[in-house]
Amino acid sequence: MLWTGIRLTLLKKTISLRQSLLRNLIAGPVILGAIVLATSMFATQQLLTNFAAELTNRGIAEMDSALSAYLRPVEEIVDLSLKFGRAGRFHALPENELDLIFGPLLEAVSQVSSVHIASSSGDEYMLMQRGEGEYYNRISLVEYPGSIVTREWSGGAAPAEVPVPTRVKSDYDARKRPWFQQALESLEEEGHRTREHLVWSDPYTFFTTKRPGITVSVAYRTPSDDIQILAFDIYLAAILDFARQIEVRKSGNVYVMLRNPSEQDVLMLAIPPGEVKAPDAEMEKRFPIPVSELSGAPRTFVDLVLSDETHKAGRPFRFEEDGTRWWGATAIRPLSHDRELW
């Protein structure tokens, strides 16, 4: 969920202006003066209402544009990789050739931290960008339970020298990971027809880094009739940084939330600075935060949106919280058949 709220901080100044006008009314009958003043007050209030609604509308338009620009590169590499996968281009490729395909993609799209390609049997290739020009690769094969093979290198997406593989003990099993299970469950097959679905996970802890994030994954059939799963990871810290870089006026707040339409609660992925007290290094560990655990304007706003379908259309509406008047609106972006980004 993406929401921007704008406080009506202009009201106090408007009241003092009206009082000034009242003190300076020197002509006309009292009754006529009252009618004129009342009309002026109504007109001023209507002007403020229209002004605040327009500001909120523009803020939402800015948020929607920024969100689309943020997600578009992710959607493009998922779409491109899926086309290659359907054509069987990844089948039986050695890891060094997969490095040459996915390394430059990770380097170009900073939102994505890692990519997975797995077979339905559980064999998996994973490539992760750890930092500027630093990469980590994991190979897990079901025929070697209790261990994985890792490779690490620096200096760019394509290693100058062949990295030395190291076998290490590990209880990692791709078949137990949320992105793997959800992608397989979403694959629909009727006779010779296959229907694929992109699936976005709920936030969870990544196995290798122990950091929270979300994953977009899809299962598909190859020309050899095998099922493969393709997945891309995004850290919650990346979403938090994205939200913090967007400014909606001085009194506007930006929240990014994830919702499963079949559930009433909403998960907060990013909030304005200062609303959660934690050092920057510890901030991402506080997320996701169920909105039901929050209070104040964001909780009131979400409750109103969930209880009234008319508020989900993106039209701004006014509400009050602790004596402060707010305007808010949503930009809802469907991620998959079972997830919405608000």
mmCIF file of all heavy atoms in Angstrom, residues 34 44 63 82 109-110 117 120 122 138 157 174 184 188 190 216 219 255-256 316 323 328 335:
data_model
loop_
_atom_site.group_PDB
_atom_site.id
_atom_site.type_symbol
_atom_site.label_atom_id
_atom_site.label_comp_id
_atom_site.label_asym_id
_atom_site.label_seq_id
_atom_site.Cartn_x
_atom_site.Cartn_y
_atom_site.Cartn_z
ATOM 1 N N ALA A 34 -23.620 39.605 8.444
ATOM 2 C CA ALA A 34 -23.507 38.225 8.896
ATOM 3 C C ALA A 34 -23.645 37.267 7.729
ATOM 4 O O ALA A 34 -22.942 36.261 7.649
ATOM 5 C CB ALA A 34 -24.572 37.937 9.949
ATOM 6 N N THR A 44 -14.347 30.150 1.796
ATOM 7 C CA THR A 44 -12.959 29.919 2.192
ATOM 8 C C THR A 44 -12.751 28.462 2.576
ATOM 9 O O THR A 44 -11.752 27.836 2.206
ATOM 10 C CB THR A 44 -12.580 30.829 3.369
ATOM 11 O OG1 THR A 44 -12.815 32.191 2.995
ATOM 12 C CG2 THR A 44 -11.113 30.648 3.733
ATOM 13 N N MET A 63 3.601 9.681 -6.154
ATOM 14 C CA MET A 63 3.949 8.399 -5.554
ATOM 15 C C MET A 63 3.769 7.257 -6.545
ATOM 16 O O MET A 63 4.614 6.369 -6.655
ATOM 17 C CB MET A 63 3.058 8.126 -4.332
ATOM 18 C CG MET A 63 3.241 9.073 -3.169
ATOM 19 S SD MET A 63 4.938 9.139 -2.584
ATOM 20 C CE MET A 63 5.538 10.551 -3.509
ATOM 21 N N LEU A 82 11.984 -14.932 -17.703
ATOM 22 C CA LEU A 82 10.937 -15.940 -17.898
ATOM 23 C C LEU A 82 10.892 -16.392 -19.359
ATOM 24 O O LEU A 82 10.736 -17.593 -19.642
ATOM 25 C CB LEU A 82 9.590 -15.369 -17.470
ATOM 26 C CG LEU A 82 8.369 -16.286 -17.612
ATOM 27 C CD1 LEU A 82 8.568 -17.596 -16.863
ATOM 28 C CD2 LEU A 82 7.108 -15.580 -17.124
ATOM 29 N N VAL A 109 20.214 -3.561 -12.017
ATOM 30 C CA VAL A 109 18.979 -3.324 -11.264
ATOM 31 C C VAL A 109 19.294 -3.445 -9.776
ATOM 32 O O VAL A 109 19.267 -4.532 -9.196
ATOM 33 C CB VAL A 109 17.873 -4.316 -11.678
ATOM 34 C CG1 VAL A 109 16.565 -3.986 -10.961
ATOM 35 C CG2 VAL A 109 17.664 -4.278 -13.179
ATOM 36 N N SER A 110 19.595 -2.320 -9.148
ATOM 37 C CA SER A 110 20.061 -2.333 -7.762
ATOM 38 C C SER A 110 18.968 -2.745 -6.776
ATOM 39 O O SER A 110 19.274 -3.139 -5.645
ATOM 40 C CB SER A 110 20.596 -0.953 -7.382
ATOM 41 O OG SER A 110 19.577 0.039 -7.523
ATOM 42 N N ILE A 117 17.358 -19.859 -9.582
ATOM 43 C CA ILE A 117 16.766 -20.762 -10.575
ATOM 44 C C ILE A 117 16.790 -22.148 -9.953
ATOM 45 O O ILE A 117 17.851 -22.636 -9.544
ATOM 46 C CB ILE A 117 17.544 -20.779 -11.897
ATOM 47 C CG1 ILE A 117 17.513 -19.418 -12.551
ATOM 48 C CG2 ILE A 117 16.951 -21.813 -12.837
ATOM 49 C CD1 ILE A 117 18.270 -19.377 -13.861
ATOM 50 N N SER A 120 12.031 -28.350 -10.055
ATOM 51 C CA SER A 120 10.963 -28.791 -9.149
ATOM 52 C C SER A 120 11.457 -29.871 -8.188
ATOM 53 O O SER A 120 10.851 -30.098 -7.143
ATOM 54 C CB SER A 120 9.766 -29.313 -9.954
ATOM 55 O OG SER A 120 10.163 -30.367 -10.810
ATOM 56 N N GLY A 122 14.254 -29.632 -6.580
ATOM 57 C CA GLY A 122 14.911 -28.947 -5.477
ATOM 58 C C GLY A 122 16.328 -28.497 -5.756
ATOM 59 O O GLY A 122 16.927 -27.792 -4.942
ATOM 60 N N ARG A 138 25.550 -19.761 -4.676
ATOM 61 C CA ARG A 138 25.254 -20.995 -3.924
ATOM 62 C C ARG A 138 24.671 -22.024 -4.885
ATOM 63 O O ARG A 138 23.751 -21.709 -5.647
ATOM 64 C CB ARG A 138 24.262 -20.710 -2.798
ATOM 65 C CG ARG A 138 23.863 -21.966 -2.005
ATOM 66 C CD ARG A 138 22.793 -21.653 -0.970
ATOM 67 N NE ARG A 138 21.530 -21.275 -1.591
ATOM 68 C CZ ARG A 138 20.768 -20.252 -1.175
ATOM 69 N NH1 ARG A 138 21.149 -19.514 -0.167
ATOM 70 N NH2 ARG A 138 19.636 -19.964 -1.796
ATOM 71 N N ALA A 157 30.588 -8.196 -12.261
ATOM 72 C CA ALA A 157 29.602 -9.262 -12.438
ATOM 73 C C ALA A 157 30.218 -10.520 -13.041
ATOM 74 O O ALA A 157 29.845 -11.634 -12.678
ATOM 75 C CB ALA A 157 28.467 -8.757 -13.333
ATOM 76 N N ALA A 174 15.913 -25.690 -0.907
ATOM 77 C CA ALA A 174 15.070 -24.754 -1.670
ATOM 78 C C ALA A 174 13.600 -25.113 -1.572
ATOM 79 O O ALA A 174 12.732 -24.234 -1.598
ATOM 80 C CB ALA A 174 15.523 -24.731 -3.131
ATOM 81 N N LEU A 184 5.315 -22.956 -7.122
ATOM 82 C CA LEU A 184 4.809 -24.253 -7.567
ATOM 83 C C LEU A 184 3.298 -24.353 -7.382
ATOM 84 O O LEU A 184 2.582 -24.875 -8.247
ATOM 85 C CB LEU A 184 5.505 -25.388 -6.805
ATOM 86 C CG LEU A 184 6.853 -25.869 -7.347
ATOM 87 C CD1 LEU A 184 7.345 -27.063 -6.533
ATOM 88 C CD2 LEU A 184 6.764 -26.245 -8.818
ATOM 89 N N GLU A 188 -0.725 -23.442 -12.860
ATOM 90 C CA GLU A 188 -1.959 -24.128 -13.234
ATOM 91 C C GLU A 188 -1.732 -24.931 -14.516
ATOM 92 O O GLU A 188 -1.206 -24.401 -15.498
ATOM 93 C CB GLU A 188 -3.087 -23.119 -13.460
ATOM 94 C CG GLU A 188 -3.478 -22.344 -12.219
ATOM 95 C CD GLU A 188 -4.621 -21.383 -12.490
ATOM 96 O OE1 GLU A 188 -5.343 -21.592 -13.493
ATOM 97 O OE2 GLU A 188 -4.794 -20.426 -11.717
ATOM 98 N N GLU A 190 -3.733 -27.707 -17.173
ATOM 99 C CA GLU A 190 -4.917 -28.443 -17.626
ATOM 100 C C GLU A 190 -4.569 -29.108 -18.955
ATOM 101 O O GLU A 190 -4.457 -28.444 -19.981
ATOM 102 C CB GLU A 190 -6.119 -27.509 -17.797
ATOM 103 C CG GLU A 190 -6.607 -26.887 -16.503
ATOM 104 C CD GLU A 190 -7.817 -26.004 -16.721
ATOM 105 O OE1 GLU A 190 -8.335 -25.981 -17.860
ATOM 106 O OE2 GLU A 190 -8.252 -25.333 -15.767
ATOM 107 N N VAL A 216 9.780 -12.176 -5.590
ATOM 108 C CA VAL A 216 8.839 -12.427 -6.678
ATOM 109 C C VAL A 216 9.318 -13.685 -7.387
ATOM 110 O O VAL A 216 10.488 -13.814 -7.731
ATOM 111 C CB VAL A 216 8.751 -11.235 -7.658
ATOM 112 C CG1 VAL A 216 10.116 -10.844 -8.212
ATOM 113 C CG2 VAL A 216 7.783 -11.561 -8.785
ATOM 114 N N ALA A 219 6.785 -20.169 -11.579
ATOM 115 C CA ALA A 219 7.105 -21.516 -12.050
ATOM 116 C C ALA A 219 6.649 -21.648 -13.503
ATOM 117 O O ALA A 219 5.614 -21.098 -13.891
ATOM 118 C CB ALA A 219 6.422 -22.562 -11.173
ATOM 119 N N TYR A 255 3.860 6.110 3.101
ATOM 120 C CA TYR A 255 3.894 4.769 3.687
ATOM 121 C C TYR A 255 3.789 3.750 2.557
ATOM 122 O O TYR A 255 3.024 3.948 1.616
ATOM 123 C CB TYR A 255 2.717 4.559 4.654
ATOM 124 C CG TYR A 255 2.708 5.495 5.838
ATOM 125 C CD1 TYR A 255 2.193 6.790 5.712
ATOM 126 C CD2 TYR A 255 3.204 5.106 7.061
ATOM 127 C CE1 TYR A 255 2.183 7.653 6.783
ATOM 128 C CE2 TYR A 255 3.194 5.970 8.141
ATOM 129 C CZ TYR A 255 2.689 7.240 8.001
ATOM 130 O OH TYR A 255 2.685 8.100 9.059
ATOM 131 N N VAL A 256 4.569 2.694 2.628
ATOM 132 C CA VAL A 256 4.470 1.610 1.657
ATOM 133 C C VAL A 256 4.024 0.364 2.407
ATOM 134 O O VAL A 256 4.632 -0.023 3.410
ATOM 135 C CB VAL A 256 5.819 1.342 0.960
ATOM 136 C CG1 VAL A 256 5.672 0.215 -0.060
ATOM 137 C CG2 VAL A 256 6.315 2.606 0.273
ATOM 138 N N PRO A 316 -8.994 11.286 -2.822
ATOM 139 C CA PRO A 316 -8.613 11.749 -1.486
ATOM 140 C C PRO A 316 -9.828 11.933 -0.589
ATOM 141 O O PRO A 316 -10.912 12.285 -1.059
ATOM 142 C CB PRO A 316 -7.923 13.088 -1.762
ATOM 143 C CG PRO A 316 -8.477 13.547 -3.066
ATOM 144 C CD PRO A 316 -8.750 12.297 -3.851
ATOM 145 N N GLY A 323 -7.284 15.376 16.942
ATOM 146 C CA GLY A 323 -7.515 16.799 16.739
ATOM 147 C C GLY A 323 -6.860 17.377 15.504
ATOM 148 O O GLY A 323 -7.020 18.565 15.223
ATOM 149 N N GLY A 328 -5.930 12.014 2.941
ATOM 150 C CA GLY A 328 -5.162 10.852 2.510
ATOM 151 C C GLY A 328 -5.782 10.215 1.294
ATOM 152 O O GLY A 328 -6.960 10.419 0.985
ATOM 153 N N LEU A 335 0.313 -6.568 -7.457
ATOM 154 C CA LEU A 335 1.582 -7.203 -7.760
ATOM 155 C C LEU A 335 1.373 -8.561 -8.416
ATOM 156 O O LEU A 335 2.100 -8.962 -9.309
ATOM 157 C CB LEU A 335 2.417 -7.367 -6.485
ATOM 158 C CG LEU A 335 2.904 -6.068 -5.831
ATOM 159 C CD1 LEU A 335 3.628 -6.400 -4.545
ATOM 160 C CD2 LEU A 335 3.824 -5.307 -6.779
#
